[in-house]
Amino acid sequence: MDRDDRRRYFIVGSVIVEIVTPAFRQRLENDYKSKGLGCLQDFINSKPVIHILFHLRHKNTQCCVDSTHCVNHGPLPLNHSQWDLLYTGPPNHHCFCKFTAKPVTLDELDITLASLILLNCCTLSVNETFYVSKLREFKNNYLSHNANGTITQAEYTTLIGDLQTLVLKLDPSKQDDFARIQNRALDEPLCIKYFTSLLDIYGLLEKIENKVENVDTASTRILTTVNSNAQILATMGISNDALIAKIEDLLQNMICQRCKEMINNQEKENSNKPYKLGHSIFTLHHEINLTSVAGDDWREVTDIVMMDDGRLVMCLPLQSRLLICDTDGSQVDSIHVQDRLWRVTAVNNSTVAVTLYDSDCIEMYDINNKLKLKSISVPEKLWWGGITTINNKLVVRGDKRLQIIDHQTREVVQTIQTDSNPVRLHGSGDRIFYYDPYNNNKLYWYSYTDDRHHTLTLPSPPRGMTTLQDGSLYVMCDDESVQHVSSDGKQYKTVTTKGLKKLKFYCMSYNSKQRKLVTRYASKNQTLRFNVFYEK
């Protein structure tokens, strides 16, 4: 293999990986942030985007939601691996509404997937559309099917000028980067890495996947197929043993994805085995003292939520700010709010939504950048009502009703009538839990599954709740007890865990990713403290 031909391939591949791909990611980020969305996950989870991408992967499908905008494509440009990177949902994919975006980041998008989303889901100018299309076409023509990993001098002379023109039209600031890459020497390990990421092997992958009828015997079939393909790859001009090994590894990893998913699902099933009601699940790990930043009065904090990364976000209405800290109480930060905030819920990994005590609006904040993202007006004042999330929507109380709000469009998309005044809302799975402060000891919930309201009578009026790993609930009651309610809502038992026997104040939050529980309590002299429990 000619080393100069190899170096020319390396230069072109470097431009695509190091300049074009980041430029596509940046343009995508600019687009969704201009729409008021805080992260890629929010963007791909929005109805228009998930609907478009759904039909770029699934053929001959009529959605039950927004069927007028369904499009049946001939070729499907979005492959299985790309779809599985972006979304999770049931195997019977008859509608896009069954899928939810994964917490994917921009860095996980290669040039093919980034350009696909840009061209189909973003607002681009005519020129931008042309540059993105041509650069993606350039990658397909010269790299995706280049099994030799080489580019001749004659071909390079023609293409490098066109590539430079396209890159600088897209981003003129990359002139120096382009020149630096043109002058670099061949780095064989990096070249191999770029080759394996740029070669289009998804067609081969899908053919192999279709041969696996029984996932129980998938490993044997995969190894056999990969070994047979090694010889085919070699005849295509890939003579470097290390390169062939990397391609085999990549193929095997991709093909085994279904096996890995089965293992993950099995682990998830095992981790979600029902807890014994009332049994000791947690152990007290440490206490957090935040009096230096939150004050020494237990009334300073009206609500708390634990984020997926373990950070705690608390409402401090008397100080008109959101307090943000790590689970151990360190790395304290805050966001000033113009009114008395009351309740808080997590929207995604970096965004929270809060209600204001005497206002008719919801406010959303980016806790990473400490920015207010938007205000959402609601039909009536929320007062001391709660807020929660369900199916990527916000839920707030109304006058004997639950209001479901699409935070992306700011619209009330559904109103659910109730027979009582819903307070301290909590979304879990397909259910919205609440209580009525004027109606005895009943815990209420609405279920989307059967479109009905349900109740469970507890020993004392409920005042707050949080969902555990198996779908069961801890419910804080007026008599300071914590009741462990089964996932079907039919049974309960009093929790006897040390530190949870008597909870005088109604702030509690469990996070299933962290498998930790945080509670607010007051010491004997009524000073503010928090307990953090770890799951056993």
Side-chain angles (χ1 to χ4, degrees):
M1 183 179 294
D2 188 285
R3 184 174 177 81
D4 289 335
D5 289 351
R6 187 86 171 133
R7 176 180 171 274
R8 285 186 282 269
Y9 174 92
F10 178 51
I11 291 172
V12 175
S14 297
V15 171
I16 295 298
V17 173
E18 298 176 23
I19 297 180
V20 179
T21 302
F24 282 9
R25 292 169 179 163
Q26 184 61 57
R27 183 61 186 86
L28 177 54
E29 183 179 24
N30 294 343
D31 185 87
Y32 68 66
K33 284 192 173 180
S34 71
K35 296 178 172 66
L37 301 174
C39 63
L40 177 63
Q41 184 182 11
D42 284 347
F43 177 69
I44 63 174
N45 208 45
S46 61
K47 280 186 178 179
V49 173
I50 192 172
H51 197 186
I52 290 170
L53 296 180
F54 177 82
H55 286 292
L56 291 176
R57 175 58 255 163
H58 303 102
K59 192 179 292 187
N60 300 322
T61 303
Q62 189 74 13
C63 294
C64 64
V65 179
D66 195 20
S67 59
T68 57
H69 291 95
C70 290
V71 177
N72 189 34
H73 297 274
L76 296 176
L78 195 66
N79 61 55
H80 280 300
S81 296
Q82 292 169 328
W83 175 259
D84 290 342
L85 171 68
L86 300 177
Y87 297 104
T88 181
N92 297 321
H93 42 63
H94 65 278
C95 181
F96 73 92
C97 70
K98 302 295 183 182
F99 293 88
T100 303
K102 292 181 179 178
V104 63
T105 64
L106 286 166
D107 289 341
E108 295 177 81
L109 305 185
D110 62 13
I111 180 177
T112 302
L113 185 52
S115 62
L116 186 70
I117 297 175
L118 278 171
L119 293 171
N120 289 277
C121 307
C122 295
T123 305
L124 304 180
S125 67
V126 175
N127 286 341
E128 285 177 321
T129 301
F130 175 77
Y131 300 144
V132 172
S133 299
K134 294 301 290 184
L135 283 166
R136 182 184 178 186
E137 181 181 321
F138 197 102
K139 182 259 184 186
N140 289 340
N141 289 343
Y142 294 104
L143 302 174
S144 293
H145 310 294
N146 187 338
N148 294 318
T150 60
I151 294 177
T152 64
Q153 179 62 59
E155 191 175 35
Y156 182 81
T157 301
T158 302
L159 67 86
I160 195 64
D162 292 339
L163 178 58
Q164 182 173 11
T165 299
L166 290 170
V167 168
L168 297 183
K169 286 286 187 181
L170 187 68
D171 189 348
S173 70
K174 298 301 181 182
Q175 175 70 59
D176 291 343
D177 290 335
F178 197 95
R180 172 182 56 80
I181 289 175
Q182 272 193 289
N183 293 324
R184 67 173 20 168
L186 173 62
D187 181 336
E188 186 64 34
L190 187 58
C191 186
I192 292 173
K193 178 181 177 181
Y194 287 174
F195 177 86
T196 56
S197 65
L198 293 168
L199 185 65
D200 184 7
I201 57 176
Y202 290 106
L204 178 59
L205 164 67
E206 293 194 358
K207 290 179 181 179
I208 296 173
E209 283 186 325
N210 291 336
K211 294 179 181 178
V212 182
E213 299 89 0
N214 187 333
V215 290
D216 292 333
T217 61
S219 297
T220 302
R221 296 294 301 276
I222 289 166
L223 291 173
T224 302
T225 308
V226 169
N227 288 333
S228 65
N229 281 320
Q231 185 176 0
I232 298 173
L233 291 169
T235 62
M236 294 166 66
I238 308 173
S239 57
N240 187 296
D241 291 340
L243 181 58
I244 294 175
K246 284 184 177 291
I247 295 174
E248 288 179 347
D249 288 342
L250 183 59
L251 278 169
Q252 185 170 343
N253 288 337
M254 294 171 65
I255 299 164
C256 285
Q257 189 60 40
R258 279 199 293 176
C259 301
K260 292 177 182 177
E261 288 176 359
M262 289 185 65
I263 293 171
N264 290 338
N265 290 337
Q266 185 63 47
E267 290 177 349
K268 186 176 180 181
E269 289 177 8
N270 292 335
S271 66
N272 288 349
K273 287 181 179 179
Y275 298 124
K276 185 177 179 180
L277 291 184
H279 190 261
S280 182
I281 301 170
F282 298 94
T283 181
L284 179 60
H285 190 267
H286 65 273
E287 178 187 278
I288 306 175
N289 184 345
L290 294 174
T291 55
S292 61
V293 289
D296 60 1
D297 191 326
W298 63 269
R299 291 167 295 186
E300 288 280 359
V301 176
T302 54
D303 203 6
I304 183 171
V305 63
M306 186 184 298
M307 309 297 286
D308 284 350
D309 61 6
R311 284 181 295 175
L312 305 177
V313 181
M314 309 176 192
C315 291
L316 276 60
L318 300 182
Q319 300 180 28
S320 298
R321 63 185 177 125
L322 278 170
L323 185 69
I324 307 162
C325 68
D326 290 342
T327 316
D328 60 2
S330 64
Q331 298 295 320
V332 178
D333 211 336
S334 65
I335 303 174
H336 178 72
V337 180
Q338 292 182 345
D339 208 335
R340 284 191 297 168
L341 66 168
W342 199 247
R343 302 295 187 209
V344 60
T345 188
V347 178
N348 58 45
N349 294 335
S350 62
T351 307
V352 297
V354 301
T355 58
L356 307 178
Y357 179 73
D358 53 0
S359 175
D360 58 354
C361 76
I362 301 165
E363 293 188 348
M364 294 180 61
Y365 291 88
D366 181 334
I367 62 173
N368 289 340
N369 299 309
K370 297 185 287 296
L371 295 174
K372 178 180 174 180
L373 298 177
K374 65 178 73 173
S375 291
I376 303 173
S377 298
V378 293
E380 54 191 290
K381 283 193 174 183
L382 299 172
W383 295 108
W384 44 284
I387 184 170
T388 190
T389 53
I390 188 168
N391 298 327
N392 201 37
K393 303 290 188 300
L394 299 175
V395 186
V396 294
R397 65 163 291 185
D399 184 13
K400 291 192 173 182
R401 59 180 177 170
L402 300 168
Q403 301 175 93
I404 316 300
I405 299 171
D406 187 331
H407 57 81
Q408 294 165 350
T409 64
R410 295 181 169 89
E411 296 179 351
V412 177
V413 295
Q414 185 181 9
T415 299
I416 302 171
Q417 298 298 324
T418 62
D419 293 330
S420 57
N421 295 300
V423 175
R424 196 68 167 183
L425 311 182
H426 176 67
S428 175
D430 68 337
R431 298 173 295 177
I432 305 170
F433 291 86
Y434 58 94
Y435 71 87
D436 182 346
Y438 308 109
N439 197 356
N440 55 55
N441 300 356
K442 291 184 177 179
L443 173 68
Y444 297 85
W445 69 91
Y446 168 78
S447 171
Y448 275 96
T449 301
D450 57 13
D451 190 24
R452 289 178 51 205
H453 290 271
H454 303 262
T455 62
L456 176 68
T457 302
L458 298 174
S460 177
R463 290 293 182 262
M465 63 286 295
T466 190
T467 304
L468 304 183
Q469 187 79 25
D470 67 339
S472 61
L473 280 82
Y474 270 3
V475 181
M476 297 161 285
C477 293
D478 205 35
D479 64 358
E480 303 181 18
S481 68
V482 176
Q483 302 299 327
H484 189 183
V485 178
S486 60
S487 58
D488 60 8
K490 295 180 180 180
Q491 306 174 64
Y492 67 87
K493 278 193 177 182
T494 303
V495 175
T496 58
T497 300
K498 182 181 179 181
L500 287 173
K501 291 181 181 179
K502 292 287 185 178
L503 277 184
K504 189 172 183 180
F505 306 109
Y506 316 118
C507 277
M508 174 187 286
S509 179
Y510 172 82
N511 185 280
S512 59
K513 290 187 181 296
Q514 293 290 319
R515 301 182 83 94
K516 297 176 185 176
L517 174 74
V518 60
T519 66
R520 181 195 70 175
Y521 77 102
S523 60
K524 291 181 180 180
N525 60 357
Q526 301 293 290
T527 55
L528 182 64
R529 296 289 189 275
F530 297 90
N531 275 338
V532 178
F533 297 84
Y534 282 21
E535 197 164 329
K536 293 181 178 179

